[in-house]
Amino acid sequence: TEDVLIKRVAIYQAGSISRSNLTNFNLYQGSTLLATTASLSSTDLATFDLTASPYTLPKDIARTFTVKADIAASAKPNDTIKFYADQTTDIYAVGATYGYGVQIDIGTSGTYNGSGTNFTTITVQGGQITVTTSGPATGNLAIGATDVNFLNFTVSPVVNAQIKILRV
C-alpha cells in the first residue's frame, strides 16, 4: 500500500565452494551499484547494508537485483556457488510513508530455501594454465649434433591440473 525502503539484503551461500574463494560482493539494481560487502560472514551470508542510502521500491513495481562477486583463482573446477534468501529477516525494509517494517515473503514449501527453484547455482569451470618459454638462447647448431636442446618451457597451473595432450 506504500513505497518501500529496502535497508538490508542478506543472501545465503550454500554451494560447495570455500567461502574464502568469494570476495568483493556488489549489489546492483540495473546498472546502479547499491551496496558492497567484502566477504561472506562465518554463517555464509553476504550482507548488504543500505541503511545510509535505502533503495526506494515504488508501490506495485517489481525490480530485479543482481549480485556480482570475484571468484578466487584457487577455486576448484566443479565447485558450486548457490545463493538464495534463506529467512524472512534476510531482507529488511520499511514503508516509506508510515515507517513500519514490511512483511517479507520469501516463499514457503521449499520455494526460497535452496531446495525449490528460486535460487541460482553456478558451477566453477576449469582453471588457468600458463606456459612460458625459458630458452635456450638463439644460436647455430652443428650438423650431425645429437641430443640437442630446442626448447625449455614451464607449465604453471593455478590449481592442480592433468595435462592429457601437449603439442609443441
Side-chain angles (χ1 to χ4, degrees):
T1 60
E2 62 183 311
D3 291 354
V4 172
L5 302 174
I6 299 174
K7 295 189 173 195
R8 184 187 65 239
V9 174
I11 54 174
Y12 180 65
Q13 199 295 111
S16 64
I17 194 168
S18 169
R19 77 173 59 97
S20 63
N21 285 332
L22 297 173
T23 57
N24 301 322
F25 293 87
N26 296 298
L27 175 67
Y28 291 90
Q29 197 297 299
S31 61
T32 303
L33 177 63
L34 302 178
T36 64
T37 188
S39 60
L40 293 172
S41 71
S42 61
T43 56
D44 294 318
L45 285 172
T47 303
F48 300 97
D49 184 359
L50 289 88
T51 307
S53 182
Y55 178 79
T56 302
L57 183 62
K59 174 184 167 185
D60 297 326
I61 300 294
R63 294 279 190 249
T64 300
F65 295 83
T66 303
V67 174
K68 296 181 181 181
D70 295 339
I71 301 171
S74 57
K76 296 178 181 73
N78 298 318
D79 277 351
T80 58
I81 303 165
K82 180 178 180 180
F83 276 105
Y84 57 90
D86 187 43
Q87 304 290 324
T88 57
T89 55
D90 289 343
I91 300 172
Y92 173 57
V94 297
T97 303
Y98 300 108
Y100 291 101
V102 298
Q103 181 178 351
I104 305 297
D105 181 4
I106 60 169
T108 57
S109 303
T111 305
Y112 280 95
N113 70 359
S115 63
T117 58
N118 291 316
F119 58 85
T120 299
T121 300
I122 298 168
T123 302
V124 177
Q125 297 299 309
Q128 177 180 347
I129 293 178
T130 303
V131 179
T132 55
T133 60
S134 56
T138 303
N140 297 322
L141 298 174
I143 296 175
T146 59
D147 198 25
V148 177
N149 183 359
F150 287 110
L151 176 65
N152 296 328
F153 66 95
T154 304
V155 178
S156 302
V158 174
V159 295
N160 290 341
Q162 180 181 37
I163 299 174
K164 293 185 177 184
I165 297 173
L166 179 63
R167 292 189 175 115
V168 180

